[in-house]
């Protein structure tokens, strides 16, 4: 008869937590923060097909780090739950708090009952009528839920990112300033203390627009994302006249308005 080795429940929980933290720390960072125009979600993501930022419902967004197939299962379940509740009752009955609580129950059950916990950390964000009404919930692998005060960071460098965000966050700042702060936080942690250079190819950006009726989620990509990226100081600003060119029919020798043409000799 084989001998059964005894392991205390405390040790089992510690091993599961260490396993999940170690693998989550390898993931790329995500920043979510509230601003005057809505709730901004910015993630480091080298893939253009596998997203880390999604829409859950009309005015609710979702962001995650960790193992893709696991947080994708959570996202799909959240979308189905939100759709079912909105269809059965009213769309106004679906809010970020209820979805976050459901996620907490699911993650807590998986962590305590399954052999392997989910290697994920997720955020459920809801945009309100004003920055004070925004909801940001951060959920960890063990089902712990935290109501964050206007900003949060997830990933391997979350602690350092939160320090940068806490120093410069302003809930009344416009979208461009909020994105600049998020980019500065994500750029933190380069070699020799120098900021990393992040380009649009490795950024996934979305916003829950406060003033947008109905579905507030909008992805920022292409030219819209290029316009938010910081410009090089040595790069001259474009002159609208140079971009548009002269009006049709204009000629350099044409006299200005109000100036009488000189008679030809």
């Amino acid at each position: 008869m084989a001998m059964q080795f005894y392991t205390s429940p405390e040790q089992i929980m510690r091993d599961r937590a260490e396993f999940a933290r170690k693998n989550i720390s390898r993931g790329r960072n995500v920043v979510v923060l509230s601003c005057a125009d809505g709730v901004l979600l910015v993630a480091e993501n080298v893939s253009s097909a596998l997203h880390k930022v999604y829409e859950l419902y009309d005015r609710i967004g979702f962001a995650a780090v960790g193992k893709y197939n696991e947080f994708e299962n959570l996202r799909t379940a959240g979308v189905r739950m939100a759709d079912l509740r909105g269809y059965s009752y009213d769309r106004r009955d679906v809010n970020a708090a209820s979805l976050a609580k459901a996620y907490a129950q699911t993650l807590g059950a998986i962590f305590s009952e399954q052999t392997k916990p989910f290697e994920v950390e997720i955020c459920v964000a809801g945009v309100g009528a004003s920055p004070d009404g925004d909801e940001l919930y951060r959920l960890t692998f063990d089902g712990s839920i935290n109501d964050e005060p206007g900003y949060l960071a997830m990933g391997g460098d979350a602690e350092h990112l939160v320090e940068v965000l806490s120093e410069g966050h302003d809930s009344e700042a416009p979208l461009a300033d909020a994105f600049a702060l998020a980019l500065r936080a994500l750029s933190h942690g380069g070699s020799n203390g120098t900021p990393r250079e992040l380009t649009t190819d490795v950024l996934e950006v979305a916003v829950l627009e406060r003033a947008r009726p109905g579905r507030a989620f909008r992805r920022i990509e292409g030219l819209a994302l290029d316009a938010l990226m910081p410009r090089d100081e040595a790069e001259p600003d474009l002159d609208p006249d140079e971009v548009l060119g002269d009006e049709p029919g204009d000629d350099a020798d044409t006299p200005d308005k109000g100036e009488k043409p000189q008679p030809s000799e």
Side-chain angles (χ1 to χ4, degrees), residues 79-252:
V79 170
R80 290 174 178 170
M81 175 184 174
D83 285 341
L84 179 60
R85 178 169 297 182
Y87 178 77
S88 301
Y89 302 100
D90 190 272
R91 302 184 75 89
R92 293 171 294 181
D93 294 329
V94 183
N95 53 54
S98 61
L99 292 176
K101 293 174 184 177
Y103 279 135
Q105 294 174 359
T106 301
L107 288 171
I110 292 173
F111 180 77
S112 59
E113 298 174 5
Q114 302 296 326
T115 304
K116 187 191 84 66
F118 271 18
E119 306 162 37
V120 298
E121 194 169 345
I122 66 174
C123 166
V124 180
V127 62
S130 66
D132 294 336
D134 293 342
E135 299 175 282
L136 299 181
Y137 298 101
R138 177 171 169 261
L139 296 101
T140 56
F141 55 87
D142 59 350
S144 300
I145 179 172
N146 299 301
D147 184 5
E148 300 295 340
Y151 58 87
L152 64 87
M154 302 181 296
D157 298 327
E159 294 182 1
H160 300 292
L161 270 62
V162 168
E163 293 178 2
V164 178
L165 294 174
S166 62
E167 294 175 357
H169 178 256
D170 182 7
S171 59
E172 299 297 335
L175 179 64
D177 293 347
F179 177 78
L181 176 61
L183 189 63
R184 185 164 71 249
L186 292 173
S187 302
H188 181 79
S191 59
N192 299 326
T194 58
R196 297 182 298 139
E197 183 178 356
L198 298 177
T199 63
T200 57
D201 296 334
V202 297
L203 290 176
E204 182 181 356
V205 185
V207 61
L208 295 169
E209 293 184 322
R210 196 179 311 282
R212 189 174 186 179
R215 299 177 64 179
F217 185 87
R218 178 174 66 89
R219 293 193 180 275
I220 302 177
E221 51 193 3
L223 295 177
L225 181 56
D226 291 337
L228 291 175
M229 296 296 291
R231 291 183 177 274
D232 189 357
E233 295 181 358
E235 181 181 351
D237 294 335
L238 294 178
D239 187 355
D241 294 336
E242 295 180 359
V243 175
L244 298 176
D246 295 332
E247 293 293 336
D250 285 353
D251 187 28

Side-chain angles (χ1 to χ4, degrees), residues 33-93:
L33 66 160
S34 177
C35 64
D37 297 320
V39 177
L40 180 66
L41 306 96
V42 184
E44 290 186 65
N45 190 2
V46 296
S47 175
S48 59
L50 306 179
H51 297 297
K52 300 171 68 174
V53 173
Y54 289 95
E55 175 188 20
L56 283 182
Y57 207 61
D58 289 348
R59 306 183 69 79
I60 304 173
F62 175 93
V65 296
K67 206 166 185 180
Y68 176 79
N69 66 316
E70 293 178 347
F71 70 69
E72 177 64 13
N73 288 334
L74 292 173
R75 182 196 70 85
T76 304
V79 170
R80 290 174 178 170
M81 175 184 174
D83 285 341
L84 179 60
R85 178 169 297 182
Y87 178 77
S88 301
Y89 302 100
D90 190 272
R91 302 184 75 89
R92 293 171 294 181
D93 294 329

